[in-house]
Amino acid sequence: MKQDPKRPSRAASNSGAVGDLTPPPDFPSTFAEPIESDPMLASELDRARLIQSRLLPGQLPAVPGFDLAARYLPATHVGGDYYDVLPLRGGRFGIVVADVSGKSVSAAMIMVMVRTVFHGLAPAMASPRATVLEACERIAPDLPAGIFLTLAYGILDPKRGSVSVVNCGHNPPLLWTTLQKRPLVETVLVNGPAIGLVRGSAFERALVEREIPLAPGEHLLFHTDGVNEAMDVNANEFGDGQLFKAIMRGGRKDAGGMAQEVVNAVLHHRGIAPPSDDLTVLDVWRLP
């Protein structure tokens, strides 16, 4: 399943996409946490939820020739997943999808730190690898013992029609494409260690950057492990197989349709089981 893509021929794209929007991230606070007996705690968690929701993009930027969409469902009042799309120099865009180990308030606090670092660094950096190396220098020393951060960071260059990606222990991006007019899903093989698990020169040596050309009509989907590891009441995981099927169903849709297709499939699988982890999906679709 994890192999280098054999790419079809590339053609020029149209331009002028309108970015789709995420939940709007003021996500609902209907969770099965035993906080009702402490009104003050419940009120503080609701405030934390509201603050975190405002730190996530309510609407993704419009990117010429592309359509972007994200979906985010936290497992608790506040979550440890983070996604963003950041305007960069030269008409490029930085794409972040990250996952802090652990849940609830502690993970959310680290998420805020990660957001602050990327917002400060990304606009001035030339490449995804350089950005993540500098981000690791700033983030890793402040991570508590036993806590680590996985993330995928890509730079979308509309002029080149490609996304350059680095991966720090995160789920690899998934490409919906066609080969001889038949749709297929490919795992984009790009490796690297999680931030906080490996540090210094070992982290730098292991971090690989890869450029992924996108042909018109192709999707590049980023997600956190709350998707493939979502469990039903019998502790059966959603798994990569069902994820690939959902992507196949969403391949002919726009970015919002693809992202929602994946989320709907996860929720259908999970049924009445409570969420075991935050769930984030971000799709990049090159306009046909």
Side-chain angles (χ1 to χ4, degrees), residues 20 67 69 219 250-260 283 285 287:
D20 192 29
D67 183 27
H219 292 264
R252 302 294 184 185
K253 301 179 180 180
D254 62 10
M258 170 67 85
Q260 195 62 51
D283 186 63
W285 180 49
L287 295 180

Side-chain angles (χ1 to χ4, degrees), residues 167-219:
N167 189 340
C168 300
H170 199 77
N171 300 75
L174 299 173
L175 176 72
W176 182 93
T177 184
T178 58
L179 184 62
Q180 297 179 348
K181 297 184 179 181
R182 298 185 62 181
L184 70 151
V185 179
E186 298 175 345
T187 300
V188 178
L189 191 59
V190 55
N191 298 319
I195 294 175
L197 290 183
V198 179
R199 305 189 182 190
S201 60
F203 181 86
E204 183 174 358
R205 289 194 302 270
L207 192 63
V208 176
E209 180 178 318
R210 177 174 175 183
E211 184 176 14
I212 307 163
L214 291 179
E218 289 186 336
H219 292 264

Side-chain angles (χ1 to χ4, degrees), residues 54 64 120 124-125 158 196 203 214 246 267:
R54 291 178 177 175
M125 306 301 289
F203 181 86
L214 291 179
L267 295 179

